[in-house]
Amino acid sequence: MTTSPPATAPASAARNRAEVLSRVEERLKSLLDLEHRRWAEVDHRATAPVEAISRLVRAGGKRLRPDFCVVGFLAAGGTPDDPRVVEAGTAIELLHAFALLHDDVLDGSAVRRGVPTAHVRHAEEHRSRGWQGEPRRYGEGVAVLAGDLAFAYAGRLAQELPRQARRVWAELVGEMIVGQHLDVAVAAEAVADPDLSAYIANAKSGRYSIRRPLELGASLAGGSHLSGAFEAYGTALGEAFQLRDDLIDVFGDAGVAGKPVGADADNHKMTLLVSIAVRDDPAVRELVARDDLPPGELSRALERAGVRATVEHRIDRLVTEAGEALAGTPVDEEWRVVLAEMAVAVAYRDK
């Protein structure tokens, strides 16, 4: 990392931010507990999808998206006691649960946040109890339906938000889902296009993790005047966020990351990191074209190609761009400091 450490955010900003995020956490728990009791009255089997969501939420996670939503709201002049930002923050975390539950099925991931993924856990339950049918299909079915239920809960909360916030929500959801489809499609076709990979990274990850949550929060506080600043900041930091994800997948520590590393490479995902390496290194280009790629081989080739240093330099530049995007904007100084701190935390994390 080559950027200078940001100044420390004022205590009042940190206190307000923490207060709202704590209420988001309480709302998540109360909603899922209530839904569990509701479906338990129907039949004990009916609770499985709710339990899958709850297990994922309880396993931790960075709560990155609610955090950016809350900061966008407070930076736009919102007050910590406004219940709408709590509903928006809860909705966006449930949307994230939906995305993770489906993503783990799409990628065949065995571990998420250090615990077995929903489809793996339910497949094992099917197998151990000797139920009829195929364990894998059963496990994937439960996970997909749990994701659908999380999406329904998120939509239920979002539909009560003001009109402008609902418009931001609709953009966020559409971009994420189409971006996820493109991620699957370019992997299947082995499309090595850095520009397309950058778009996919921003659509399925960067925009929905940073830019749109900021805009969603700001829209609740009537902060449309901050849209331009948040768009520029979120676009730069969103790419840095995805590049760090790519580096963690190739070079990270599975124990720290809480999920297997190397999965994207082994699944032929045409990540932004891989696309850059394919463009610049003939050996990587040749490996990506192979159907019989041994596990770990592409990761080793990426290491030899020196792509890590290239991408780290790009992340440094993007973090700088994110900070510069806020200079001279209507964002108050205290929130520029908070957003600078968040940029460093997002871009230089290890999980």
Side-chain angles (χ1 to χ4, degrees):
M1 172 182 166
T2 60
T3 56
S4 301
T8 303
S12 59
R15 183 173 58 251
N16 290 341
R17 176 183 168 197
E19 175 189 330
V20 180
L21 285 170
S22 176
R23 287 164 52 214
V24 169
E25 205 68 29
E26 292 169 3
R27 181 70 171 109
L28 273 169
K29 184 179 185 302
S30 65
L31 185 153
L32 293 171
D33 286 350
L34 179 63
E35 286 298 306
H36 189 279
R37 291 194 296 272
R38 172 191 176 188
W39 294 113
E41 292 177 0
V42 175
D43 186 89
H44 71 274
R45 300 170 188 84
T47 62
V50 184
E51 289 170 356
I53 302 168
S54 298
R55 192 172 290 107
L56 178 62
V57 169
R58 289 196 308 267
K62 296 178 283 293
R63 302 293 191 263
L64 182 71
R65 293 149 194 86
D67 199 1
F68 275 109
C69 179
V70 168
V71 169
F73 172 77
L74 294 172
T79 57
D81 59 350
D82 192 326
R84 297 175 302 171
V85 69
V86 175
E87 298 296 280
T90 304
I92 206 166
E93 187 62 24
L94 287 167
L95 184 72
H96 186 47
F98 147 74
L100 294 182
L101 287 159
H102 282 199
D103 197 45
D104 287 339
V105 173
L106 289 169
D107 291 345
S109 300
V111 177
R112 169 72 66 179
R113 295 176 177 170
V115 299
T117 50
H119 68 279
V120 167
R121 183 178 181 278
H122 285 280
E124 180 53 36
E125 180 185 25
H126 184 289
R127 192 176 296 109
S128 65
R129 292 180 181 271
W131 291 341
Q132 294 184 14
E134 183 183 346
R136 181 186 66 83
R137 289 180 64 84
Y138 175 80
E140 290 179 351
V142 173
V144 167
L145 292 170
D148 292 345
L149 190 60
F151 186 84
Y153 292 155
R156 181 199 300 175
L157 297 176
Q159 73 181 1
E160 300 300 326
L161 298 176
R163 183 178 180 183
Q164 183 55 38
R166 293 199 307 272
R167 287 178 177 172
V168 176
W169 178 265
E171 287 297 313
L172 183 160
V173 172
E175 288 166 346
M176 182 191 70
I177 293 174
V178 173
Q180 185 64 64
H181 165 71
L182 286 172
D183 187 47
V184 172
V186 300
E189 298 178 34
V191 178
D193 180 342
D195 290 337
L196 179 57
S197 292
Y199 174 84
I200 293 169
N202 256 313
K204 82 178 187 73
S205 187
R207 287 185 190 176
Y208 122 87
S209 297
I210 299 166
R211 175 187 164 187
R212 295 303 186 192
L214 280 170
E215 291 178 350
L216 181 65
S219 70
L220 294 172
S224 60
H225 61 293
L226 300 182
S227 293
F230 286 161
E231 178 180 354
Y233 169 92
T235 298
L237 187 57
E239 184 175 328
F241 171 85
Q242 186 56 48
L243 284 170
R244 178 60 58 192
D245 252 10
D246 294 349
L247 285 172
I248 291 170
D249 182 76
V250 176
F251 305 113
D253 182 324
V256 175
K259 59 184 179 180
V261 298
D264 283 350
D266 291 341
N267 288 330
H268 297 269
K269 286 294 185 75
M270 199 56 61
T271 63
L272 182 52
L273 181 151
V274 171
S275 290
I276 292 169
V278 166
R279 180 193 63 195
D280 296 342
D281 191 281
V284 174
R285 193 178 312 129
E286 182 179 333
L287 278 176
V288 167
R290 289 176 54 181
D291 292 329
D292 59 341
L293 191 63
E297 183 60 31
L298 182 55
S299 295
R300 290 187 287 272
L302 291 169
E303 180 75 75
R304 291 192 298 270
V307 70
R308 189 194 305 212
T310 300
V311 170
E312 289 285 8
H313 178 72
R314 184 162 175 166
I315 289 172
D316 289 344
R317 179 170 54 78
L318 288 164
V319 171
T320 299
E321 286 179 12
E324 290 173 347
L326 299 176
T329 69
V331 180
D332 287 346
E333 174 63 22
E334 66 175 345
W335 293 109
R336 286 204 296 271
V337 172
V338 170
L339 288 164
E341 290 176 346
M342 295 176 79
V344 170
V346 162
Y348 300 107
R349 70 195 191 280
D350 55 9
K351 62 180 179 178

